[in-house]
């Protein structure tokens, strides 16, 4: 039995295109894999540790090969608890809207907590960076109000998909599938078919995920 973790980063819930497409994916996945565990991690109802004070000092102790103080150890446990929840999955679905050409701050907070040395990656002078989250597939569902795939000019200001793809590769993901829902701020006769097409892609990927 595998565990699929859906990381949900839109606060719009019933009005969210990324969540709507993710739900289509999860329904098809559960139909195809009834014995698997499916968990949704709503970042808007999750309390994540602040990355300051003893927490960031604990990170630098690790980077310098030094032991933690009791306060740093307690703070670092908050980080490892979040990472362990993330890393407990065998497969992932990440759904996110575009905010200011990038990702929602709740998702960025999660990224900043889990992307840590010894957890999500290692570094050595000989080999450089090595991602540690390996052998796991992920499907990423991107929603955006505008259209960012039709020209090089628009692609250049898409810091949502490019950032997520870089980060996933950095921490070890190699099996990454993408579903793009755009342009959601277009008239209904344009946005509607785009959303339906994304749902179709989602069910096709989910059937063999």
């Amino acid at each position: 039995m595998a565990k699929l973790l859906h990381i949900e980063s839109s606060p719009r819930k019933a009005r969210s295109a990324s969540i709507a497409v993710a739900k289509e994916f999860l329904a098809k996945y559960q139909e195809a894999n009834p014995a698997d565990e499916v968990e949704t991690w709503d970042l808007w109802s999750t309390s994540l540790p602040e990355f300051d004070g003893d927490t960031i000092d604990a990170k630098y102790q690790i980077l310098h090969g030094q032991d933690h103080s009791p306060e740093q150890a307690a703070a670092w446990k908050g980080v490892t608890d979040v990472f362990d929840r993330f890393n407990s999955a065998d497969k992932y679905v990440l759904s996110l809207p575009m905010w200011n050409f990038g990702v929602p701050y709740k998702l960025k907070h999660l990224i900043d907590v889990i992307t840590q040395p010894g957890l999500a990656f290692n570094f050595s002078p000989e080999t450089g960076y090595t991602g540690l989250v390996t052998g796991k597939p992920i499907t990423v569902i991107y929603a955006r109000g505008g259209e960012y795939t039709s020209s090089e000019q628009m692609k250049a200001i898409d810091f949502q998909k490019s950032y997520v793809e870089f980060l996933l590769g950095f921490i070890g993901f190699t099996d990454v599938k993408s579903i793009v829902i755009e342009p959601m701020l277009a008239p209904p006769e344009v946005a509607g078919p785009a959303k339906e097409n994304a749902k179709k892609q989602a069910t096709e990927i989910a059937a063999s995920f």
Side-chain angles (χ1 to χ4, degrees), residues 123-177:
F123 175 81
S124 77
E126 294 75 27
T127 60
Y129 291 105
T130 302
L132 300 178
V133 186
T134 59
K136 301 181 180 187
I138 184 168
T139 296
V140 188
I141 301 168
Y142 304 91
R144 48 270 285 276
E147 188 174 3
Y148 293 85
T149 56
S150 59
S151 70
E152 292 304 314
Q153 181 182 17
M154 294 305 289
K155 288 178 184 178
I157 59 173
D158 174 9
F159 301 105
Q160 179 203 37
K161 188 170 182 285
S162 61
Y163 172 70
V164 170
E165 288 180 343
F166 169 79
L167 188 285
L168 291 175
F170 177 76
I171 65 175
F173 285 93
T174 56
D175 185 355
V176 181
K177 296 177 175 62

